[in-house]
Amino acid sequence: MSNYIDRILELLRTNPNVETFVLKQNPKDSKDRELLRLNIENKTARTIRETVLTAIDNFTKHQDEVIENEQSYEKYNESQHVIYYADSLSEEIKSLNMFNILDNPPEELTSPDAIEGLIKGYFFRISFTNCNIWAFQKVANNCITNSKKMTFHGSTLKEIKGRLYQFSNNVEFLLFDDMLLFKNDNTLASHFGFDVLIKRRAEETLKKISDSGLLSDMEKVLEHYSKNEKTYGKKLMIARNSRVIHISRNELKAVVSQSRSYSRIIKFNQNDEIEIKNKKDVDNLFKLLNDQILVSEITSIVYDTASKNEILSEKTIDSK
């Protein structure tokens, strides 16, 4: 991943051209979007260009760790300093309407009235000799306002007529070399249908959990998922590739009973099924499925962490 980040930063130093497009929402269909090219005068275009390049530079610099490939994205956590990305985008992700929007040649905006109150954000296309980088910046409700705006002309204060359009030093995600890079999925979910993918993955995981026969009451899990699909959907995405699901009930009970951490939060009934009685039990179940409780080999401190990268499994270490 660092190679891609280095390549992006190297490309940005080549004085690229930046085109600006507005993402317009169809007033009759909130899920329908249209991309329109903005015709910008030269001085303003240079200002926007510098703002966008600074935003991308900020996006790529401030990361504590990098989560690689689509499967690893499912090791989701809420840190704003982590860049997630999907490598060699799956067909599911490519089906998001964002890609359909960018594939269609955009028309030029001919009248400001056409986007009045309908802007969802800006797309920027940074063009290089052999590739493009697309960056998206969402528009917050307070970024475009009808409030009175004043500025000084010499020593005289005058009102600025018309709407005010603002650009910030932030971008939500980048598209580069068939890769999607993002720091959180909120904008992808609200604007581009990523929530549909999350829901589909969550339902697949629920079926795996149900088929495993590990739980005393699967209905409790479904009940809490239905009450908060957004939160539990992400937890289920993490659990989608859980190795715990494939462990037999007897073996899992034996392992959990030997763990000073998990034995406190995971209880089994007489049939060796995990007891699920309330929301706390559901939350603890996801901690187990995601192998979320870790013990430091140095300090023996117990940590609750959803984000981790496997280096070597204990079995691999023992075999050496």
Side-chain angles (χ1 to χ4, degrees):
M1 176 61 174
S2 59
N3 292 335
Y4 287 103
I5 296 297
D6 291 343
R7 187 178 171 205
I8 289 174
L9 294 176
E10 182 180 347
L11 286 169
L12 294 181
R13 291 192 286 268
T14 63
N15 197 32
N17 181 50
V18 177
E19 298 171 273
T20 305
F21 306 83
V22 63
L23 185 66
K24 171 190 171 184
Q25 175 180 302
N26 185 332
K28 297 181 180 179
D29 183 355
S30 61
K31 294 184 178 181
D32 185 26
R33 305 282 196 268
E34 181 182 7
L35 202 63
L36 298 171
R37 185 194 308 272
L38 295 182
N39 185 21
I40 304 173
E41 62 96 16
N42 289 338
K43 184 177 180 180
T44 303
R46 288 194 294 271
T47 301
I48 293 176
R49 175 185 174 278
E50 294 306 315
T51 302
V52 172
L53 296 183
T54 299
I56 296 176
D57 186 58
N58 291 337
F59 179 93
T60 55
K61 276 184 178 178
H62 301 299
Q63 73 232 33
D64 297 329
E65 67 177 292
V66 172
I67 305 295
E68 298 194 4
N69 70 50
E70 182 200 350
Q71 285 70 36
S72 293
Y73 159 64
E74 293 165 10
K75 300 175 182 177
Y76 184 92
N77 73 39
E78 299 292 343
S79 171
Q80 295 296 308
H81 300 294
V82 178
I83 293 179
Y84 302 91
Y85 81 104
D87 190 9
S88 300
L89 295 171
S90 73
E91 291 305 313
E92 284 181 304
I93 295 180
K94 283 185 177 179
S95 69
L96 299 179
N97 60 10
M98 164 178 49
F99 297 95
N100 297 330
I101 291 170
L102 299 181
D103 283 343
N104 295 326
E107 296 181 5
E108 188 164 308
L109 177 68
T110 56
S111 169
D113 294 338
I115 57 174
E116 185 79 16
L118 299 175
I119 295 179
K120 304 305 293 183
Y122 303 107
F123 267 108
F124 306 99
R125 181 166 61 192
I126 303 92
S127 302
F128 306 95
T129 303
N130 298 316
C131 64
N132 294 318
I133 296 176
W134 285 93
F136 179 76
Q137 181 180 115
K138 68 179 179 181
V139 173
N141 292 333
N142 61 351
C143 284
I144 301 176
T145 175
N146 278 320
S147 61
K148 298 296 182 181
K149 302 168 288 291
M150 307 287 179
T151 189
F152 278 99
H153 288 259
S155 59
T156 304
L157 187 65
K158 293 185 177 181
E159 179 183 352
I160 301 174
K161 299 293 185 180
R163 274 184 173 263
L164 179 67
Y165 294 85
Q166 298 176 330
F167 297 85
S168 72
N169 286 330
N170 295 307
V171 292
E172 304 300 316
F173 59 81
L174 302 178
L175 282 168
F176 172 62
D177 268 8
D178 203 27
M179 291 176 54
L180 172 64
L181 296 86
F182 56 101
K183 292 186 179 180
N184 68 61
D185 63 11
N186 293 334
T187 299
L188 288 167
S190 61
H191 286 40
F192 301 105
F194 204 65
D195 54 331
V196 176
L197 176 58
I198 293 175
K199 184 173 183 177
R200 187 182 304 134
R201 294 287 175 82
E203 291 173 349
E204 290 173 2
T205 308
L206 286 170
K207 185 177 186 307
K208 287 183 180 181
I209 296 172
S210 179
D211 292 345
S212 72
L214 293 175
L215 309 185
S216 64
D217 190 349
M218 185 65 195
E219 290 302 317
K220 283 291 182 184
V221 178
L222 295 173
E223 175 187 333
H224 288 288
Y225 168 68
S226 65
K227 289 179 180 178
N228 193 342
E229 289 190 7
K230 183 176 181 180
T231 297
Y232 283 106
K234 291 177 180 178
K235 290 183 177 183
L236 284 161
M237 279 193 75
I238 303 172
R240 178 169 174 261
N241 296 313
S242 171
R243 300 173 186 177
V244 176
I245 295 177
H246 303 290
I247 300 175
S248 69
R249 288 188 306 204
N250 293 339
E251 183 182 355
L252 184 60
K253 182 179 180 181
V255 173
V256 169
S257 65
Q258 297 299 313
S259 167
R260 61 177 174 137
S261 303
Y262 284 114
S263 61
R264 296 173 183 172
I265 63 174
I266 301 296
K267 303 301 179 184
F268 292 83
N269 63 18
Q270 59 185 7
N271 297 321
D272 294 339
E273 298 169 326
I274 298 174
E275 288 280 11
I276 303 292
K277 296 180 179 179
N278 50 45
K279 181 181 181 298
K280 188 174 182 180
D281 289 339
V282 174
D283 290 336
N284 288 334
L285 169 68
F286 285 120
K287 290 183 180 183
L288 174 68
L289 293 178
N290 298 323
D291 204 10
Q292 197 164 315
I293 298 178
L294 304 177
V295 181
S296 167
E297 294 182 356
I298 306 299
T299 63
S300 296
I301 295 174
V302 180
Y303 294 97
D304 185 342
T305 174
S307 178
K308 52 191 174 293
N309 288 324
E310 180 179 329
I311 302 173
L312 291 173
S313 69
E314 188 172 333
K315 291 181 180 179
T316 304
I317 296 172
D318 291 342
S319 66
K320 291 189 174 183

